[in-house]
Amino acid sequence: MKTARFALLVAALFWGEAWAQTQAPRSSLPLHQPSPAQLLADLRQGGYVLYFRHAATDFGQNDEKMKRYEDCADQRNLIDRGRADAREAGAAIRKLGIPVERVLASPFCRTVETAQLLFGRAEKMQEVRGGPAVAAGSDRYAQLKKILATPVRPGANLVVVSHGNPFYSVAGPPYLAEGEVAVVRPLGSDFQIVARVRIDGWEDLMSGAPKK
């Protein structure tokens, strides 16, 4: 009898582990995208992290020869459309009355420029810098995950302007498009993706939401 029970226990542990391994990986898509009016109301109340991927860039360029973050000539940079998109999005965010406190930016030129075009300022921070995509469980972007999970005070929102790979690595697929933002609700030890807004999607909030 003891042998049979032991065999059942081992089988249960094995199948439990196998079941866990077959579960879908984490996704950065929101479970329920809120309406424009609800999303705007939530953002005006604050308490969120807004993670922007930098605006549109020239993929004919790369960072292989870069020696310093200030060497913009040896990096992939914004194109004119990306700059125009960032300016328009920044103007829309201001018009919508969304409160923004700190603006953290990866020290690459394209992320700093995006932050400055969006919000007029950028606080360069190594903890949100770019890098390769890594497998789940890696601690390469542990500091970024901590930032996304740390509660933000009511009445303000924290902005992070970074890259596609870091967010993909900590939040899961699919990738953010260039200029797209993920609205993140910090949960203390983890975070939740509440919404995603394309670079040209702020107009939807302006047209579909009540005036402040």
Side-chain angles (χ1 to χ4, degrees), residues 130-136 138 140-141 164-169 175:
V134 296
S138 170
R140 181 183 180 93
Y141 300 115
N165 282 337
F167 189 75
Y168 182 96
S169 298
Y175 272 96

Short mmCIF file of all heavy atoms in Angstrom, two decimals, residues 130-136 138 140-141 164-169 175:
data_model
loop_
_atom_site.label_atom_id
_atom_site.label_comp_id
_atom_site.label_asym_id
_atom_site.label_seq_id
_atom_site.Cartn_x
_atom_site.Cartn_y
_atom_site.Cartn_z
N GLY A 130 19.02 49.63 -23.01
CA GLY A 130 18.71 48.56 -23.95
C GLY A 130 19.69 47.41 -23.86
O GLY A 130 20.69 47.45 -23.14
N GLY A 131 19.40 46.36 -24.63
CA GLY A 131 20.23 45.18 -24.65
C GLY A 131 19.51 44.08 -25.40
O GLY A 131 18.41 44.28 -25.93
N PRO A 132 20.09 42.89 -25.45
CA PRO A 132 19.47 41.79 -26.18
C PRO A 132 18.26 41.22 -25.45
O PRO A 132 18.11 41.41 -24.24
CB PRO A 132 20.59 40.75 -26.27
CG PRO A 132 21.40 41.01 -25.02
CD PRO A 132 21.38 42.50 -24.84
N ALA A 133 17.41 40.54 -26.18
CA ALA A 133 16.31 39.81 -25.55
C ALA A 133 16.89 38.62 -24.81
O ALA A 133 17.86 38.00 -25.27
CB ALA A 133 15.31 39.35 -26.61
N VAL A 134 16.34 38.30 -23.64
CA VAL A 134 16.84 37.18 -22.84
C VAL A 134 15.67 36.28 -22.46
O VAL A 134 14.51 36.69 -22.48
CB VAL A 134 17.56 37.68 -21.57
CG1 VAL A 134 18.81 38.47 -21.94
CG2 VAL A 134 16.64 38.52 -20.70
N ALA A 135 16.00 35.06 -22.08
CA ALA A 135 14.98 34.09 -21.71
C ALA A 135 14.36 34.43 -20.37
O ALA A 135 14.97 35.11 -19.54
CB ALA A 135 15.59 32.69 -21.66
N ALA A 136 13.13 33.97 -20.17
CA ALA A 136 12.46 34.16 -18.89
C ALA A 136 13.31 33.57 -17.78
O ALA A 136 13.91 32.50 -17.92
CB ALA A 136 11.09 33.49 -18.92
N SER A 138 16.01 35.11 -16.54
CA SER A 138 17.28 35.81 -16.51
C SER A 138 17.15 37.05 -15.63
O SER A 138 16.09 37.66 -15.54
CB SER A 138 17.67 36.23 -17.93
OG SER A 138 18.78 37.12 -17.91
N ARG A 140 19.04 39.77 -16.13
CA ARG A 140 19.65 40.90 -16.83
C ARG A 140 18.83 42.18 -16.65
O ARG A 140 19.38 43.26 -16.48
CB ARG A 140 19.81 40.59 -18.31
CG ARG A 140 20.46 41.74 -19.08
CD ARG A 140 20.57 41.46 -20.56
NE ARG A 140 21.20 42.58 -21.24
CZ ARG A 140 22.49 42.70 -21.51
NH1 ARG A 140 23.32 41.74 -21.15
NH2 ARG A 140 22.97 43.77 -22.13
N TYR A 141 17.50 42.06 -16.70
CA TYR A 141 16.64 43.23 -16.58
C TYR A 141 15.88 43.25 -15.25
O TYR A 141 14.76 43.75 -15.17
CB TYR A 141 15.66 43.27 -17.76
CG TYR A 141 16.35 43.35 -19.11
CD1 TYR A 141 16.24 42.31 -20.02
CD2 TYR A 141 17.12 44.46 -19.45
CE1 TYR A 141 16.88 42.38 -21.25
CE2 TYR A 141 17.76 44.53 -20.67
CZ TYR A 141 17.64 43.49 -21.58
OH TYR A 141 18.28 43.56 -22.79
N GLY A 164 12.66 47.81 -27.30
CA GLY A 164 11.78 46.66 -27.42
C GLY A 164 12.24 45.44 -26.66
O GLY A 164 11.43 44.76 -26.00
N ASN A 165 13.53 45.11 -26.73
CA ASN A 165 14.03 43.89 -26.11
C ASN A 165 13.85 43.82 -24.60
O ASN A 165 13.42 42.78 -24.08
CB ASN A 165 15.51 43.68 -26.46
CG ASN A 165 15.70 43.14 -27.86
OD1 ASN A 165 14.80 42.53 -28.43
ND2 ASN A 165 16.87 43.37 -28.43
N PRO A 166 14.18 44.86 -23.85
CA PRO A 166 14.02 44.77 -22.40
C PRO A 166 12.57 44.49 -21.99
O PRO A 166 12.31 43.64 -21.12
CB PRO A 166 14.51 46.12 -21.88
CG PRO A 166 15.44 46.60 -22.94
CD PRO A 166 14.85 46.13 -24.23
N PHE A 167 11.63 45.20 -22.61
CA PHE A 167 10.23 45.00 -22.24
C PHE A 167 9.76 43.61 -22.64
O PHE A 167 9.05 42.94 -21.88
CB PHE A 167 9.36 46.08 -22.90
CG PHE A 167 7.96 46.08 -22.39
CD1 PHE A 167 7.66 46.59 -21.14
CD2 PHE A 167 6.92 45.54 -23.16
CE1 PHE A 167 6.36 46.58 -20.65
CE2 PHE A 167 5.62 45.53 -22.68
CZ PHE A 167 5.34 46.04 -21.42
N TYR A 168 10.13 43.16 -23.83
CA TYR A 168 9.78 41.82 -24.28
C TYR A 168 10.30 40.77 -23.29
O TYR A 168 9.61 39.79 -22.99
CB TYR A 168 10.38 41.59 -25.66
CG TYR A 168 10.06 40.25 -26.29
CD1 TYR A 168 8.99 40.13 -27.18
CD2 TYR A 168 10.83 39.13 -26.02
CE1 TYR A 168 8.70 38.92 -27.78
CE2 TYR A 168 10.53 37.91 -26.61
CZ TYR A 168 9.47 37.80 -27.49
OH TYR A 168 9.17 36.59 -28.07
N SER A 169 11.50 41.00 -22.78
CA SER A 169 12.12 40.03 -21.88
C SER A 169 11.42 39.93 -20.53
O SER A 169 11.35 38.85 -19.94
CB SER A 169 13.60 40.38 -21.67
OG SER A 169 14.31 40.33 -22.90
N TYR A 175 6.18 42.11 -29.22
CA TYR A 175 6.99 43.31 -29.09
C TYR A 175 6.13 44.57 -29.17
O TYR A 175 5.11 44.59 -29.87
CB TYR A 175 8.03 43.38 -30.21
CG TYR A 175 9.33 42.69 -29.90
CD1 TYR A 175 9.55 41.38 -30.33
CD2 TYR A 175 10.33 43.34 -29.19
CE1 TYR A 175 10.76 40.74 -30.06
CE2 TYR A 175 11.53 42.71 -28.92
CZ TYR A 175 11.75 41.41 -29.35
OH TYR A 175 12.93 40.78 -29.07
#
